[in-house]
Amino acid sequence: MKTLLLQVLVLFSLLCNASESNAFEDKVSEEAPRMNYMLWKQVLDKFVDVNGRVDYAGLKRNPKEFNAFVKKIQNWPLVNGLEQQEIMAFWINVYNVFAIKLVLDNYPLNSIKEVSKPWDTKFFTIGGREMSLGMVEHEILRDFGDARIHFAINCASMSCPPIAKVPYTSRNLDKLLEKQTRKYINNSVNNKITNKEYKLSQLFKWFKKDFVVHAGSVKQFINNYSTVKIGKQSNAGYIRYNWDLNEK
C-alpha cells in the first residue's frame, strides 16, 4: 500500500509545484467519507446501454443526477490512507464522467474532435485544481503502471473501449479491468486476429510502451486475453480509428 506521501506525489506532483502541493495537502481531510458512486450508477443505468453507447440527447434533457454527481466528484477531497485501488478507480470514473461532460457542453456534435483541443483544455477542477482529460490520463492514470486502464477510460468515440455500465470501485476494479480488456481485445471491430494475420487497434501503437512495461511485449499482452493467439501470423497493421461519437 502506498504511503500518504507517495499517494500525493503520484497523483499531483505533475500537476502543481511544491508550494501548491503543500496547499493541497492542507485540504485533504482524514475524516472525509469515501466516495459514493450511487448517482453515477443511476446515470449509467439510464443513459448508457450494454454496448457502451451513450444517450447524450436524453442526458442533455435530463441532467439532474449527472450534474449532481459532477459537483460531488469535483468537491470530494482525497482521503488520507486510501488504498491504491480506490484512488485508481476514482480517477477512471473522473475521466469517464468528464469526457461525457465535455460532449454535453458542446452537444450536438458528431465527434469529440470537433471540440477544440478536447484532451488539453482544462475545463474541470478536482481538489481545487484545474484539470484536463489529458492530465488525468497521462499524468495520473498511466503512472499506476497498469496498461489495462486504456480499456477502462472512454473517449466518447466509437473506437474507444466502451464505458462500463457500472462505476469503478476498489472492490470491482481488478475484475472489471480484466473484463473490459478482454472484451475490447476480442471484439473484431477493434482487433482482427485470425490464424493467418492480425490487425490491431491503434491503441496498441499509441501506448506501446505501456503494454511492453506491463507484459513484456504488445503481443504477449494481447495473448493474455485474446481467444486467438498471435504467433506467426502476418502483421496487417492497424485499424483506422473511428472518432464518431459513441451515441446510441
Side-chain angles (χ1 to χ4, degrees), residues 143-241:
D143 207 37
F144 281 101
D146 190 333
R148 296 176 301 172
I149 64 103
H150 294 298
F151 309 102
I153 57 177
N154 176 265
C155 62
S157 303
M158 293 299 292
S159 285
C160 288
I163 188 168
K165 279 280 291 178
V166 296
Y168 285 82
T169 68
S170 60
R171 292 183 177 181
N172 71 14
L173 179 65
D174 187 68
K175 184 176 180 180
L176 195 51
L177 286 174
E178 287 286 293
K179 177 182 178 181
Q180 293 298 99
T181 301
R182 192 175 304 279
K183 181 178 181 180
Y184 188 83
I185 288 176
N186 287 290
N187 187 330
S188 61
V189 174
N190 307 316
N191 303 281
K192 300 183 186 302
I193 305 173
T194 70
N195 292 326
K196 294 183 178 180
E197 65 178 21
Y198 64 93
K199 193 172 186 180
L200 304 177
S201 164
Q202 292 190 70
L203 287 177
F204 291 106
K205 178 172 79 172
W206 298 333
F207 303 110
K208 178 180 178 179
K209 179 181 177 180
D210 295 1
F211 298 112
V212 170
V213 169
H214 187 108
S217 69
V218 170
K219 286 184 181 180
Q220 185 56 52
F221 184 92
I222 291 172
N223 284 343
N224 288 340
Y225 297 95
S226 180
T227 55
V228 179
K229 308 303 180 185
I230 298 176
K232 297 181 179 180
Q233 300 99 313
S234 60
N235 185 345
Y238 296 96
I239 295 173
R240 184 185 70 84
Y241 213 75

Side-chain angles (χ1 to χ4, degrees), residues 29-36 72 76-79 82 86:
S29 168
E30 294 187 13
E31 299 179 356
R34 292 178 182 267
M35 190 65 191
N36 186 312
K72 181 181 181 70
W76 184 70
L78 291 173
V79 184
L82 285 180
E86 186 152 1

Side-chain angles (χ1 to χ4, degrees), residues 110-126:
N110 296 313
S111 170
I112 194 173
K113 296 188 78 173
E114 293 177 12
V115 180
S116 177
K117 298 181 178 179
W119 292 280
D120 298 328
T121 300
K122 296 178 181 179
F123 68 97
F124 61 96
T125 61
I126 300 293

